[in-house]
Amino acid sequence: MKNKNILITGGGTGGHLFPALAIGDEITNREPNINIHYVGSNFGLESKVFPVKDVWHTLLPIRGYQRGFSLGSIGKNILLPFRIIVSLKKLKNLFKHFKPDIIIGTGGYASALPLYLAEKKYKDICILLQEQNSYPGITTRWFSEKSKTVCVGFQATINHLNTNTILTGNPVRKGISNGKKSDSESIFNLNPNKKTVLLFGGSQGSTFLNKMMENILEKISNIDIQILWQTGDLDYREYKKYNNYKIRVTPFIDNMATAYSLADLVVCRSGALTLAEITVCGKPSILIPYPHAAGDHQTKNAQALVNAGAARILFEKNLKANDLFELINNLISNSDEISKMSKASKRIGKPNATKLIVDQIFELAV
């Protein structure tokens, strides 16, 4: 594997970016002499993360197709062909000088063009895909049959792909299950001995979940639990007024390992990486899928945990605030049920996912 060149492409959102970074870190830890180059988008989260991580990278002026009909969306779509042409030119120059032996695609609009170029012009390059969701994204569906291997996060994904698939699970952040509950007092100013509900809507927050929590705060205050509530940056100003000794409101949680260790119950969306983390940590959950996710993949992701006995599911369309409160209250007050759900969650967690994915990459490089 020494002196091999590996291109890792994916991003747009954390769900595609963080697996790419986790895979790259594992490769470097095993074989420091491998050259890794990341490809992402100027418009994705990676444009902020890559410079901070100080990784070798190229950002393309590409963004996803806008499905709305506003003037802004139409204008962005008109520019899309031009962005594709410029991005392909930039990629051809990168391929010429970097000469990748393997391309790893983790999904998102940033990964499609490098995979397309490899498939059309550089057929000697090995392709491996990592699909996070139970229903594969469009990039995986496009290029799965051209890849040597597709590493998937859910068993159900295999049914949608006619290629060599391996169930590895999804990469999670290092140390995510090693948080210390005792640290929660100093980090979050919350009591480590009190039953705790953790609510978050992904790294950017969820306006819907925030509104639901606001609507049940009065009832929450009357039961003996505490709340760790990540609002996201955009909504924090609106909800920070509810911060008190029982309810900790924060725009972003840097130390998720400690947050998970504190939580007796998690209320969240059902993005693939979120579910990977809560199962590795063995946390019971109430899942409220984002209804507009491509292919309704968040509902399919959530169903896998529900079927395993690790979660309950509520649907946004008809959800009333009181229904959420009643489910939280019923679960948090039932220690036996919480324990059963926790064990079920832990059973389906895949803490070695990153290692298994990189094992496959190293096999390709032989």
Side-chain angles (χ1 to χ4, degrees):
M1 276 293 287
K2 289 183 179 179
N3 302 318
K4 291 284 186 180
N5 295 335
I6 297 180
L7 197 70
I8 303 180
T9 176
T13 65
H16 297 302
L17 172 62
F18 294 129
L21 292 169
I23 291 167
D25 286 345
E26 176 68 15
I27 292 171
T28 300
N29 288 339
R30 290 200 206 180
E31 184 48 75
N33 292 322
I34 291 176
N35 301 308
I36 296 176
H37 194 105
Y38 294 89
V39 174
S41 166
N42 285 324
F43 302 100
L45 180 62
E46 59 271 23
S47 65
K48 298 178 181 177
V49 174
F50 284 163
V52 173
K53 293 278 289 183
D54 194 27
V55 295
W56 191 13
H57 68 276
T58 295
L59 294 175
L60 305 175
I62 192 71
R63 68 193 319 161
Y65 180 79
Q66 306 295 303
R67 292 179 173 85
F69 294 99
S70 66
L71 286 176
S73 296
I74 293 169
K76 290 171 183 175
N77 288 337
I78 290 173
L79 289 173
L80 187 57
F82 172 76
R83 294 189 183 282
I84 290 172
I85 292 169
V86 174
S87 295
L88 283 173
K89 184 176 180 181
K90 198 170 186 179
L91 279 171
K92 286 176 182 178
N93 187 55
L94 173 61
F95 275 53
K96 179 181 177 181
H97 292 95
F98 183 64
K99 297 181 174 61
D101 299 294
I102 298 171
I103 294 185
I104 302 162
T106 61
Y109 53 82
S111 69
L113 289 182
L115 293 168
Y116 169 81
L117 194 61
E119 191 262 318
K120 292 295 183 184
K121 300 288 186 181
Y122 302 90
K123 297 184 182 295
D124 57 329
I125 298 176
C126 291
I127 295 175
L128 180 140
L129 302 179
Q130 195 272 320
E131 174 56 51
Q132 298 88 35
N133 291 299
S134 56
Y135 182 75
I138 190 169
T139 301
T140 297
R141 299 199 305 274
W142 278 350
F143 296 103
S144 61
E145 293 189 13
K146 307 297 181 182
S147 66
K148 295 288 186 182
T149 305
V150 182
C151 296
V152 300
F154 291 88
Q155 181 70 38
T157 316
I158 296 172
N159 299 328
H160 300 288
L161 299 172
N162 184 27
T163 189
N164 179 35
T165 54
I166 297 174
L167 178 62
T168 57
N170 285 314
V172 296
R173 288 174 275 190
K174 280 188 176 180
I176 196 67
S177 61
N178 297 333
K180 294 181 180 179
K181 197 173 187 177
S182 57
D183 291 341
S184 59
E185 188 167 9
S186 60
I187 295 174
F188 303 120
N189 199 25
L190 289 171
N191 185 346
N193 300 313
K194 187 180 284 289
K195 289 183 179 179
T196 304
V197 174
L198 168 63
L199 182 137
F200 65 97
S203 58
Q204 297 178 355
S206 163
T207 296
F208 178 81
L209 294 190
N210 290 337
K211 180 58 70 174
M212 282 287 113
M213 178 54 68
E214 181 183 42
N215 289 341
I216 64 174
L217 281 180
E218 186 175 345
K219 290 183 176 181
I220 288 284
S221 66
N222 292 324
I223 60 177
D224 191 26
I225 66 171
Q226 59 189 5
I227 304 292
L228 178 54
W229 177 7
Q230 177 181 288
T231 61
D233 287 329
L234 293 179
D235 285 352
Y236 177 65
R237 285 187 180 182
E238 184 175 350
Y239 297 107
K240 66 180 181 179
K241 61 188 176 185
Y242 297 116
N243 197 60
N244 62 47
Y245 75 100
K246 286 182 65 175
I247 301 169
R248 183 62 59 234
V249 184
T250 180
F252 186 77
I253 299 172
D254 290 308
N255 193 330
M256 280 302 291
T258 301
Y260 283 130
S261 72
L262 175 65
D264 296 282
L265 179 66
V266 178
V267 180
C268 59
R269 294 297 198 184
S270 47
L273 295 198
T274 294
L275 301 193
E277 290 189 346
I278 64 177
T279 54
V280 165
C281 294
K283 294 299 167 180
S285 57
I286 296 172
L287 302 175
I288 306 172
Y290 177 61
H292 307 296
D296 197 24
H297 68 253
Q298 286 212 5
T299 297
K300 298 179 177 73
N301 292 350
Q303 199 61 55
L305 271 68
V306 172
N307 293 344
R312 301 288 189 272
I313 189 169
L314 294 172
F315 296 99
E316 178 174 321
K317 184 177 180 180
N318 300 311
L319 183 60
K320 294 178 174 60
N322 191 60
D323 294 335
L324 176 60
F325 170 75
E326 290 294 337
L327 185 54
I328 290 173
N329 191 29
N330 289 341
L331 289 176
I332 205 76
S333 60
N334 189 336
S335 298
D336 288 342
E337 187 63 20
I338 285 288
S339 178
K340 288 178 185 176
M341 292 174 69
S342 180
K343 290 174 182 175
S345 181
K346 194 74 173 176
R347 276 197 302 272
I348 60 174
K350 293 185 168 54
N352 296 318
T354 309
K355 176 184 179 299
L356 294 174
I357 294 165
V358 174
D359 286 346
Q360 294 300 314
I361 295 166
F362 275 51
E363 284 188 20
L364 292 181
V366 173

